[in-house]
């Protein structure tokens, strides 16, 4: 009787930890991939606003209206297949930028994501290039530059000119490709009578931290790459202490969940990168050439740098790294330790999506591929389970014989396993292999913009967000939204059902506590998995269904697994 009470207490503690403790742990280490993009009430699907999609969104605390600030200064228009906006000729700043291909929400009339905004507006976010000088005046934020054209577009560069009235002329030749990369050629011509020393630099200013959440699994915030490695810093850390990184080859900037701004100095020139903060919640990433350049009278000096402002598209970042020689540019995406698994999964999943045109179907095909690769291991798992089931009567006899002597029981059980050539842990191997795969897929869903706002079927409008449909409001027929911690969606319920039937197909454990844990585990995991991305749940459901099909087939190969052992 005491043993049964002890088992019940152990079971209750385990159940309480799984139900209440694990969601807290997973909320920190594995937060919800993305907020819901829709809600379903009154039988209708409503698109939710997503202010986090717009890093430079106007808010109630706006200093001035962004459109008014843009309209009051002379500008050069930016027009590419992916970008729209303008360059401020006062200060030669790239401070107005819209991402044409990405909308804030999935609504048909949703505005595009506005990435950069000028100084004087809410959440000002802009970049520029200049020179440090000694003994003469260099252009500053109040300098009004002359432009050679009215539009900056691929194949149509624009040259900005200014002079200081002391004999020095300054020129910035700006060009842009069809994606998100600007190139700036900074030239100083010394028309004076004495040598001058200049230090080219670039800066990226951002007012306020990102509205995206900096997570344990995905960095959001300041970033610098120096000496071939990435430094991920929090905004709070930068606010407390500025950091300098001398390097040759590298870059610095700010990364949101899906967007990136990065200053890329000449990769062969020694520079000093810096991450720092200023007044009024301002943060800045900048670089300066480490050694000043001396320009003799009648001579010029030119330095080339680049500026990336756009979406963190995996293939594009990899291509820039190879074609432009940008050191570790793919580190803009915080792949982490499982990079060796995550990137192949992403590339294969992206290839499947391009093949079938639906990311949900692509995830199902990915799951099928993984199950086929694990099929030989699963065969060994089922063979081991069959052997374990066959020796259950002997294990039961040992438990009855040595129920008062636990060390002796363990010793006799190990001897029995050795005699019967059974490995009790062999059945865990496929699950252990699936853990890094599931974690890698989770990070792919949370990191890559290619998954953002990808629909599947019916009410599932975004595979990287939780399921919005729940029976708690009669699938949207009742006009209220249940609290998130109990709003279990249809897909998580299907996941719980699939796990229940999968566990039923497995041999029941002999220990009563284990039986109770396994009985409640599917429903516990249903609650745990509910806030996760639907895409991850689709993967797990598909994997469970394939596992059950595999079990049915392997039962025919190993009848001892299904047949009750002899008494």
């Amino acid at each position: 009787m005491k043993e049964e009470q002890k088992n019940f207490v152990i079971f209750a503690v385990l159940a309480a930890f799984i139900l209440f403790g694990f969601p807290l742990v997973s909320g920190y280490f594995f937060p919800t991939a993305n907020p819901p993009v829709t809600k379903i009430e009154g039988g209708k699907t409503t698109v939710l606003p997503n202010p986090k999609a717009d890093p430079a969104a106007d808010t109630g605390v706006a200093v001035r209206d962004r459109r008014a600030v843009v309209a009051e200064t002379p500008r050069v228009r930016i027009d590419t297949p992916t970008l729209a906006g303008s360059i401020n000729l006062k200060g030669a700043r790239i401070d107005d930028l819209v991402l044409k291909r990405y909308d804030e929400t999935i609504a048909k009339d949703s505005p595009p994501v506005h990435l950069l905004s000028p100084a004087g507006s809410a959440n000002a976010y802009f970049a520029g290039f200049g020179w440090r000088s000694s003994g003469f005046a260099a252009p500053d934020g109040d300098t009004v530059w002359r432009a050679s054209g009215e539009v900056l577009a691929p194949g149509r560069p624009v040259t900005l000119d200014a002079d200081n009235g002391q004999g020095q002329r300054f020129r910035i030749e700006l060009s842009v490709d069809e994606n998100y990369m600007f190139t700036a050629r900074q030239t100083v011509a010394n028309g004076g009578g004495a040598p001058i020393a200049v230090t080219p630099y670039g800066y990226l200013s951002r007012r306020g931290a990102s509205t995206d959440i900096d997570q344990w699994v995905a960095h959001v915030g300041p970033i610098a790459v120096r000496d071939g490695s990435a430094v991920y810093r929090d905004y709070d850390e930068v606010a407390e202490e500025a950091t300098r990184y001398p390097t040759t080859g590298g870059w610095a900037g700010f990364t949101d969940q899906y967007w990136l701004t990065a200053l890329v100095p000449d990769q062969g020139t020694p520079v000093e990168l810096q991450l720092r903060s200023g007044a009024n919640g301002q943060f800045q990433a900048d670089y300066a050439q480490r050694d000043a350049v001396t320009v003799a009278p009648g001579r010029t000096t030119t330095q080339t740098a680049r500026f990336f402002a756009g979406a963190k598209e995996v293939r594009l970042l990899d291509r820039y790294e190879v074609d432009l020689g940008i050191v570790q540019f793919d580190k803009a995406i915080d792949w982490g330790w499982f990079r060796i698994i995550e990137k192949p999964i992403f590339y294969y999943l992206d290839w499947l999506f391009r093949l079938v045109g639906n990311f949900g179907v692509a995830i199902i095909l990915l799951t099928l591929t993984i199950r086929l690769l694990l099929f030989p291991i699963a065969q060994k798992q089922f063979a081991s389970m069959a052997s374990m089931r066959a020796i259950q009567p002997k294990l039961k006899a040992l438990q009855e014989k040595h129920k008062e002597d636990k060390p002796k029981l363990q010793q006799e059980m190990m001897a029995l396993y050795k005699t019967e050539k059974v490995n009790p842990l062999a059945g865990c191997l496929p699950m252990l292999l699936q853990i890094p795969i599931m974690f890698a897929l989770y990070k792919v869903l949370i990191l890559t913009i290619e998954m953002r706002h990808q629909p599947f079927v019916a009410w599932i409008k975004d595979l990287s967000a939780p399921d919005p449909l729940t029976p708690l409001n009669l699938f949207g027929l009742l006009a209220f939204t249940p609290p998130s911690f109990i709003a279990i969606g249809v897909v998580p319920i299907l996941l719980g059902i699939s796990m229940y039937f999968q566990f039923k197909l497995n041999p029941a454990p002999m220990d009563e506590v284990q039986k109770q844990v396994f009985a409640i585990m599917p429903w516990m995991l249903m609650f745990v998995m509910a806030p996760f991305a639907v895409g991850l749940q689709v993967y797990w459901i598909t994997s469970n269904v394939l596992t059950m099909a595999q079990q049915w087939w392997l039962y025919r190969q190993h009848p001892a697994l299904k047949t009750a052992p002899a008494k």
Side-chain angles (χ1 to χ4, degrees):
M1 188 68 178
K2 290 183 179 181
E3 186 67 24
E4 291 181 359
Q5 293 176 344
K6 178 182 176 182
N7 289 344
F8 179 79
V9 171
I10 294 174
F11 166 73
V13 171
L14 288 174
F17 171 76
I18 294 173
L19 185 59
F20 300 107
F22 187 78
L24 297 176
V25 175
S26 65
Y28 176 78
F29 290 104
F30 310 106
T32 301
N34 287 307
V37 299
T38 61
K39 68 175 181 178
I40 301 175
E41 289 184 348
K44 296 181 179 180
T45 300
T46 304
V47 177
L48 295 172
N50 185 19
K52 292 183 178 181
D54 191 342
D58 289 331
T59 67
V61 296
V63 179
R64 293 178 60 198
D65 181 75
R66 181 171 57 201
R67 291 177 292 274
V69 175
V70 169
E72 69 183 11
T73 52
R75 292 182 171 269
V76 171
R77 188 162 57 89
I78 299 172
D79 187 13
T80 80
T82 59
L83 299 173
S86 59
I87 300 167
N88 190 348
L89 293 180
K90 184 178 180 180
R93 293 172 173 173
I94 304 173
D95 64 357
D96 174 33
L97 210 57
V98 170
L99 308 184
K100 291 182 177 180
R101 294 180 178 173
Y102 296 99
D103 296 334
E104 292 183 10
T105 70
I106 62 173
K108 292 183 180 180
D109 58 349
S110 172
V113 170
H114 207 124
L115 185 61
L116 301 184
S117 281
S121 64
N123 304 323
Y125 198 2
F126 53 87
F129 301 91
W131 296 265
R132 295 176 185 167
S133 61
S134 177
F136 69 96
D140 58 21
D142 293 324
T143 301
V144 178
W145 294 68
R146 298 178 298 274
S148 64
E150 296 181 351
V151 179
L152 174 65
R156 297 174 61 185
V158 170
T159 300
L160 308 182
D161 283 291
D163 64 75
N164 61 0
Q166 301 173 3
Q168 285 78 41
R169 294 182 60 86
F170 304 88
R171 184 170 67 247
I172 302 176
E173 299 175 51
L174 290 172
S175 60
V176 65
D177 65 10
E178 295 184 351
N179 296 295
Y180 310 109
M181 188 68 77
F182 295 84
T183 300
R185 285 173 49 85
Q186 299 172 252
T187 300
V188 178
N190 183 14
I196 60 172
V198 296
T199 302
Y201 68 82
Y203 67 93
L204 177 57
S205 176
R206 178 173 195 166
R207 183 180 178 184
S210 171
T211 55
D212 292 339
I213 300 173
D214 187 14
Q215 305 167 7
W216 180 77
V217 294
H219 174 70
V220 169
I223 178 175
V225 170
R226 49 71 172 129
D227 299 329
S229 62
V231 178
Y232 301 108
R233 301 205 67 199
D234 296 333
Y235 285 100
D236 291 341
E237 294 175 342
V238 173
E240 292 177 3
E241 181 183 8
T243 50
R244 301 173 184 267
Y245 306 102
T247 185
T248 300
W251 52 275
F254 300 102
T255 175
D256 298 305
Q257 182 172 0
Y258 292 128
W259 327 118
L260 171 70
T261 55
L263 290 166
V264 186
D266 185 288
Q267 297 295 276
T269 301
V271 299
E272 184 174 79
L273 305 174
Q274 186 171 211
L275 299 173
R276 53 181 168 166
S277 64
N280 301 318
Q282 180 182 358
F283 296 91
Q284 181 165 305
D286 56 58
Y287 75 87
Q289 191 167 306
R290 200 179 307 171
D291 301 315
V293 179
T294 300
V295 186
R299 297 289 185 177
T300 64
T301 181
T302 299
Q303 186 61 264
T304 300
R306 291 186 169 87
F307 172 56
F308 178 96
K312 296 191 294 186
E313 299 169 2
V314 178
R315 294 178 184 272
L316 182 61
L317 296 179
D318 288 347
R319 190 163 73 245
Y320 280 143
E321 181 173 331
V322 174
D323 295 347
L324 302 181
I326 303 176
V327 175
Q328 297 289 309
F329 204 50
D330 72 328
K331 290 296 181 67
I333 298 176
D334 183 13
W335 296 106
W337 298 338
F338 285 86
R339 179 174 182 268
I340 193 173
I341 302 176
E342 291 160 15
K343 289 198 76 171
I345 284 180
F346 165 77
Y347 271 107
Y348 181 58
L349 187 58
D350 191 51
W351 176 80
L352 289 172
F353 168 65
R354 294 169 188 267
L355 184 67
V356 300
N358 184 296
F359 251 111
V361 176
I363 290 173
I364 292 173
L365 294 176
L366 168 71
T367 313
L368 180 60
T369 303
I370 292 173
R371 297 303 305 182
L372 287 174
L373 292 175
L374 295 179
F375 188 81
I377 299 175
Q379 283 186 299
K380 294 182 180 180
Q381 172 199 12
F382 278 84
S384 174
M385 290 170 61
S387 300
M388 283 293 297
R389 187 174 180 84
I391 66 171
Q392 276 189 353
K394 296 180 180 179
L395 288 172
K396 189 68 174 177
L398 289 176
Q399 287 178 331
E400 290 295 329
K401 182 178 180 181
H402 303 290
K403 60 183 177 181
E404 302 298 334
D405 189 350
K406 297 297 182 182
K408 182 64 174 178
L409 174 61
Q410 293 296 322
Q411 182 180 354
E412 292 293 331
M413 288 174 63
M414 292 298 105
L416 178 62
Y417 292 149
K418 185 176 181 180
T419 302
E420 300 289 343
K421 298 180 180 181
V422 172
N423 182 1
L425 299 179
C428 301
L429 183 58
M431 179 59 70
L432 293 176
L433 290 175
Q434 288 244 54
I435 290 175
I437 294 173
M438 285 196 63
F439 180 71
L441 180 60
Y442 166 76
K443 286 202 67 175
V444 166
L445 288 169
I446 200 174
L447 289 174
T448 57
I449 194 169
E450 288 80 358
M451 312 296 173
R452 177 180 183 261
H453 291 176
Q454 287 294 339
F456 182 27
V457 293
W459 71 93
I460 301 176
K461 306 299 182 182
D462 187 355
L463 283 161
S464 66
D467 183 1
L469 189 64
T470 173
L472 293 180
N473 60 5
L474 295 183
F475 307 104
L477 295 177
L478 300 180
F480 81 97
T481 302
S484 58
F485 66 94
I486 61 170
I488 307 300
V490 172
V491 177
I493 291 173
L494 294 176
L495 174 60
I497 293 172
S498 69
M499 286 187 291
Y500 170 79
F501 283 109
Q502 183 184 353
F503 284 3
K504 291 291 287 185
L505 285 173
N506 293 332
M510 297 181 61
D511 185 78
E512 288 302 319
V513 174
Q514 292 182 19
K515 285 183 182 179
Q516 293 168 339
V517 170
F518 284 151
I520 198 173
M521 184 71 72
W523 317 115
M524 294 289 190
L525 290 176
M526 179 182 71
F527 278 89
V528 170
M529 291 295 297
F532 283 69
V534 173
L536 189 65
Q537 297 166 5
V538 169
Y539 168 82
W540 201 343
I541 291 172
T542 306
S543 180
N544 289 344
V545 171
L546 292 175
T547 297
M548 286 186 284
Q550 194 173 355
Q551 283 177 310
W552 174 82
W553 186 83
L554 289 175
Y555 278 150
R556 303 180 64 182
Q557 310 299 314
H558 303 282
L561 182 60
K562 192 173 183 180
T563 306
K567 301 293 184 181

